[in-house]
Every structure is written in structure tokens, then in C-alpha cells.
Amino acid sequence: MTASVDTVLARLADAERRLAEHAAAPLPEGLSDPDPGAEERWEAGQVWAHLAEFPAYWLAQAQRVIAQPTQPPVPFGRVKTDAGRVEAVERDRHTDPQALLERVRASLAEVSDAVRSWDDETWQLRGAHPVRGEMTVERIIERFIVEHLEEHADQLDSLER
């Protein structure tokens, strides 16, 4: 793959470390800055609820692409208004961040195991996202899990200032 598995794993570990530091601190007040290119602003509880939900979702979407390599590009993904995404954020926004961090950690362990098992060909399989268009498995993992975790850790950083 273009980006090394070791780099992906190191970035996941760093994001997990940052999130653990946030989970150990009192929940900050206020609203986050929006995601890049978006308008949605969240309180810390909503950020945590989303963090606990999305890594497993996007891993499953990458696995969907991998499972159907005879039909490239395989449709995958969702948009921000997806009912499952919105419901998860609302359902878990008042859950203790330490409990949500445990869900994040379990998902990241699954992501780490999966990325270690994929060969170069698997990383290059293609899916079609409804907004972002055609993407490789490599890009799906980088964008929707690794970069996404880093962005939400940044959001929590901004709330602590």
C-alpha cells in the first residue's frame, strides 16, 4: 500500500492516546468548531458519542468493498444526515466518556487487526462513496477512520482551551 501499515497503526495509536487524555479529564463546556468544510458544531458529549460509533462503521464499509471485488467500484458509506449516525450521537451523548473510550479502543483493535491482514491488492480495491466518489480501501481507512479520529481529537482539544 502507498501509506505503510506501520504509519496507519502509529497514527491510530496516537489518536487513541489523545482521546484517553481527554476521557480522563472533566468534560469541557461549549461547542466545538465544525468539521472541516461543515457547519455542524457539537458539545463534547456528542463528539464522544460519534467517536464511539464511527470506526466500526467505516471498517465494516471497507470490508464490504473488499468482500465484493468483482463489482468495482462497490457502493459504500453514508452522509452526515444518515439516521444511524444521528441516532447514535443522540443516544450516547450523555454516556461517560470513559465508557465510550472503551468502545473506541475495541473498534481500533479491530481496525488494527484488519489492516495488518490486508495485502497490497486489497488496499487498492475500489468503492464508490455517495459524496466523495471513487476511493481505494487505503483512502477509506485513512480518511474515514484515521483522519476522522484526528479531527475529532482536535475538536476536543479546542474545547479544552
Side-chain angles (χ1 to χ4, degrees):
M1 73 179 257
T2 305
S4 76
V5 171
D6 289 341
T7 300
V8 168
L9 295 173
R11 288 175 67 193
L12 288 174
D14 186 57
E16 182 178 341
R17 179 195 53 76
R18 290 175 65 198
L19 294 173
E21 289 173 4
H22 284 291
L27 209 56
E29 298 287 326
L31 295 174
S32 68
D33 293 332
D35 288 344
E39 296 177 18
E40 195 172 50
R41 297 181 71 200
W42 281 344
E43 61 189 34
Q46 290 170 296
V47 175
W48 275 109
H50 183 55
L51 283 161
E53 177 268 337
F54 78 75
Y57 173 83
W58 289 110
L59 175 60
Q61 292 300 297
Q63 290 168 326
R64 171 183 160 79
V65 170
I66 293 165
Q68 299 178 24
T70 58
Q71 303 173 334
V74 176
F76 79 95
R78 64 184 180 192
V79 295
K80 288 186 180 233
T81 57
D82 177 80
R85 175 185 180 269
V86 172
E87 289 168 11
V89 169
E90 286 306 307
R91 178 189 65 233
D92 291 334
R93 69 189 293 179
H94 300 293
T95 302
D96 177 44
Q98 287 287 349
L100 296 175
L101 176 63
E102 290 311 311
R103 285 197 230 162
V104 173
R105 284 182 164 147
S107 292
L108 295 186
E110 291 177 15
V111 171
S112 296
D113 288 346
V115 302
R116 284 185 188 102
S117 72
W118 296 337
D119 60 23
D120 288 342
E121 186 177 304
T122 300
W123 284 99
Q124 297 311 311
L125 294 172
R126 296 188 173 276
H129 185 269
V131 174
R132 295 184 179 264
E134 197 168 306
M135 299 174 78
T136 63
V137 168
E138 176 182 357
R139 188 65 190 134
I140 292 166
I141 295 299
E142 287 177 341
R143 172 66 211 119
F144 292 117
I145 299 178
V146 178
E147 292 173 10
H148 202 166
L149 284 164
E150 293 166 341
E151 289 168 358
H152 286 299
D154 290 347
Q155 277 186 320
L156 291 171
D157 288 346
S158 74
L159 288 172
E160 304 243 340
R161 292 183 192 147

